[in-house]
Amino acid sequence: MNIGWRPTAAERNLLPEGRMAGPMPWVIAIMMFLTVLAAAAGMSLAVGAHTLGNQLGGRITVQIVEASPDAREAQVAAVITELNRTQGVGAVSRMSEADMARLLAPWFGAEGLGPDIPVPALIDAELSPAAHARIDRIAAAVAHVAPAAKIDDHAAWLAPLAGLVRSLEWLALALVLLMALATGCAVVLASRAALNTHRQVIDVMHLMGATDIQIARLFQRRIALDALFSGLVGLAVAVLVILLLGERVEGLGSELLGSMSLPVYAWGILTMLPIAGALLATVAARLTVVGALRRML
Amino acid sequence: MAGVRSRKGLRLSTEPPGFQASLPRSNAFTPHARLCDGGTGEEPVREGEDAGAMAGIVQFQNVGLRYGTGAETLTDVTFTLNGGAFYFLTGPSGAGKTSLLKLLYLAQRPSRGLIRLFDQDVVTLPRARLPGFRRRIGVVFQDFRLVPHLSAYDNIALPLRIAGVEERDLEVPVQEMLNWVGLSDRASARPATLSGGEQQRVAIARAVIGRPEILVADEPTGNVDPEMASRLLHLFDALNKLGTTVVVATHDIHLLSRVPNAQMIRLERGRVSDPTGALRYPPPPRGQAVS
């Protein structure tokens, strides 16, 4: 009786009950649903944080706060020249007046500012990680050519957000691990219950010379299939929820939330979770059943 | 000396079943004969005797069994069973017959003493090696213990499936067994739809399909009418003639007369008793012929 993954019909019948019998498969389905959601949230946060970090983490904005238009323009030119010749600094651009007007529109209306009202000049620059590491020296050089310049390091205000995102990522990972632990516990309880339910059959098989592994295979195969089927149900519902949430997020038009969409590899990981759950259930069932059988003669 | 005679009988019992069946019962080895010699089970082998043949297929030496902290269910049980012989284990209810059988079919380890099966100490045998020994022993349980959701066919096939026999090789032996016990037309019936006698026969077929070296039956005639009891005993006798050692536990000592050459182990209050041998060959019930 080598009851493996393709047992005969008679071997499958050694333990009665069909698929999704008892509460265990439904518990696993709910666990898998929550696991997929937690994993998706964790990966979305990771992707969003990475995207945000790439977009903003290496950028600085130089503000030239100078009332005199001529002096302001002279300092703008000097700063752009200085940044362009600094190693590791790329894509230096001054924010256009149109962009400025759009930024200020919520406060000053569509008409924008009159020519008499001084507005700081804004210069965006992208810094390589090496250049960002010596941002103090760049700031000193900029201050030397433009005394009215103030450097706004995006990474500085991004740091608390990045910290929060990292915390949420760890929380998601902890949730996934807790779900796995809870799933394992559910399988252990279900295996013990199944052992008690089928005690008579197990005793008879034992006395006919069945080994622990032969008997354990019956249970682990049954539980693995239940776990896989339940996991797929949980995955399907979770994917539906993720897609619906994605649509709602798109409707918000938020760049930050929009950056958190799941890449293809993340979907691949999510679809592997039911398989991982089935493997976990198989191992838990095998260890439980073999452990219980060893307490018998 | 009884011990000497018994040893000769033991040697003869290793001969083919047909030859053994023709032996006069007075020459057969009886366990209580050894008890009369002291019951230690450690008698020295006499010169010229074959030590291997003397060993027997089953040896119990000073075996005691205690459940939990209670009194001993079995006390100082010592006997030897010969290969190919037919034994009745008798005694009143509660004498310890089922407990002794449990030790015999390895469902239980003794609290003390030595048990050797197939010339191997099974008391200290690692647990992982027990299945191999269990496959050499067929058991007919008192309550049948058929798997309720399996058909008669699948119940009978179970030992072969456990032993790893391929599905394509199952059909012939299982059908033969069904024919042997007269249930070929009930192959697909589940135990709940079978009568007590039919269930009993399925249990017997399941116990013997693997051609065990020892067949153990616990009160196999307890739930059937006298005619069926007689038929079952004939089945056991036929199997015994094929070389299987048969041990039948029963509280009905009159069954002994139905099986030629059957020997008796009598238990009373957990001890092998009947030291005088008076119950070895009880007279048949009045008006009933010896088969």
Side-chain angles (χ1 to χ4, degrees), chain B residues 185-266:
Chain B
D185 57 335
R186 305 300 310 271
S188 57
R190 292 195 175 190
T193 65
L194 297 172
S195 69
E198 288 172 331
Q199 289 184 41
Q200 185 73 289
R201 282 182 277 162
V202 172
I204 291 169
R206 185 181 66 179
V208 305
I209 192 168
R211 290 299 303 275
E213 290 163 68
I214 302 173
L215 174 69
V216 177
D218 191 2
E219 300 281 6
T221 59
N223 298 309
V224 294
D225 56 55
E227 187 190 350
M228 181 56 66
S230 184
R231 287 174 61 186
L232 291 179
L233 283 177
H234 275 102
L235 289 179
F236 290 144
D237 194 29
L239 191 72
N240 177 240
K241 285 183 169 62
L242 293 173
T244 299
T245 305
V246 178
V247 181
V248 176
T250 178
H251 60 265
D252 182 3
I253 60 173
H254 298 296
L255 288 178
L256 271 78
S257 60
R258 308 252 182 111
V259 181
N261 294 319
Q263 301 164 54
M264 187 179 78
I265 305 167
R266 180 165 173 81

Side-chain angles (χ1 to χ4, degrees), chain B residues 48 50 53 92 96 104 106 200 202 215 281 283 288:
Chain B
D50 182 348
L104 194 52
L106 301 175
Q200 185 73 289
V202 172
L215 174 69
Y281 312 116
Q288 192 168 353

Side-chain angles (χ1 to χ4, degrees), chain A residues 1-2 8 10-11 13-16 200-201 203-212 214 293-294 296-297, chain B residues 105-109 127 130-131 134-135 141 145-150 154 158-159 161-164 167 206:
Chain A
M1 188 175 64
N2 184 18
T8 64
E11 287 166 346
N13 288 339
L14 279 174
L15 297 180
Q200 190 190 358
V201 179
D203 280 347
V204 169
M205 289 177 67
H206 240 159
L207 292 175
M208 287 178 183
T211 62
D212 292 351
Q214 281 180 313
L293 291 173
R294 280 191 181 141
M296 301 164 65
L297 180 60
Chain B
Y105 59 73
L106 301 175
Q108 190 90 36
R109 288 203 204 255
R127 191 179 165 279
L130 289 177
R134 286 177 175 140
R135 289 177 192 182
F141 301 99
R145 296 201 200 175
L146 300 178
V147 181
H149 57 274
L150 295 185
D154 286 330
L158 189 55
R161 289 196 171 113
I162 287 171
E167 286 298 313
R206 185 181 66 179

Side-chain angles (χ1 to χ4, degrees), chain A residues 239-261:
Chain A
V239 165
L240 198 64
V241 169
I242 291 168
L243 292 176
L244 287 173
L245 277 177
E247 267 189 27
R248 301 297 292 268
V249 167
E250 273 185 22
L252 290 175
S254 163
E255 280 189 30
L256 181 63
L257 292 174
S259 69
M260 293 183 178
S261 61

Side-chain angles (χ1 to χ4, degrees), chain B residues 41-61:
Chain B
E42 294 174 351
E43 296 158 292
V45 176
R46 292 175 192 274
E47 200 174 326
E49 289 180 343
D50 182 348
M54 293 297 157
I57 198 167
V58 177
Q59 284 182 301
F60 276 50
Q61 285 181 12

Side-chain angles (χ1 to χ4, degrees), chain B residues 88-103:
Chain B
F88 280 108
L89 177 63
T90 68
S93 295
K97 298 189 294 294
T98 300
S99 293
L100 195 149
L101 291 190
K102 280 184 179 174
L103 294 175

